[in-house]
């Protein structure tokens, strides 16, 4: 671990999807812990309608899950 | 995880003579042909393809 916790805004900015920050927060996804459990259906529900943006955000969420499940493992 | 999707998108855009957009396609998640098949006007707006005949070329592809 180590390092401070990243916010939803920072995460979205880091994948150049910062334009969705407001929608995520309005949709109740205000922490990366909740974001990590989102399905592609959830993404559509908060208003991510473009196929490419869904793909990009969802693949980042999947990476996030991998990190969460291997948190204690140093590679 | 490795993927050669972006390379394939680059090759595809090159055949359309639109290779200048490849970075924007990939940045917006259009990084394989499967997702590129779903491209419509809102996608092109997000990617930043505003020149009408460029849009037409992608629609026709």
């Amino acid at each position: 671990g180590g390092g401070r916790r990243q916010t939803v805004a920072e995460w979205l900015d880091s994948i150049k999807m910062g334009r969705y920050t407001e929608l995520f927060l309005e949709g109740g996804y205000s922490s990366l812990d909740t974001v990590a459990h989102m399905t592609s259906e959830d993404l559509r529900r908060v208003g991510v309608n473009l196929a490419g943006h869904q793909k990009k955000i969802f693949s980042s969420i999947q990476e996030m899950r991998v990190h969460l499940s291997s948190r204690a493992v140093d590679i | 995880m490795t993927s050669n999707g972006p390379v394939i998108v680059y090759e595809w855009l090159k055949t359309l003579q639109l290779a200048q957009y490849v970075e924007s396609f990939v940045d917006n998640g259009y990084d394989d042909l499967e997702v590129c098949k779903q491209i419509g006007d809102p996608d092109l707006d997000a990617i930043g393809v505003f020149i009408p005949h460029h849009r037409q070329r992608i629609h026709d592809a």
Side-chain angles (χ1 to χ4, degrees), chain A residues 22-42:
Chain A
E22 203 71 7
L23 290 174
F24 271 70
L25 299 182
E26 282 170 11
Y29 298 95
S30 54
S31 79
L32 291 182
D33 288 332
T34 54
V35 167
H37 293 101
M38 289 179 87
T39 63
S40 44
E41 185 56 39
D42 294 329

Side-chain angles (χ1 to χ4, degrees), chain B residues 6-27 30 47 49 54 57-58:
Chain B
V7 176
I8 295 168
V9 171
Y10 173 69
E11 295 296 333
W12 172 62
L13 288 171
K14 211 164 65 173
T15 65
L16 300 177
Q17 296 176 300
L18 298 172
Q20 69 270 31
Y21 293 111
V22 68
E23 198 183 335
S24 187
F25 269 71
V26 172
D27 275 351
Y30 298 90
I47 294 166
V49 181
H54 288 174
R57 238 182 272 168
I58 291 168

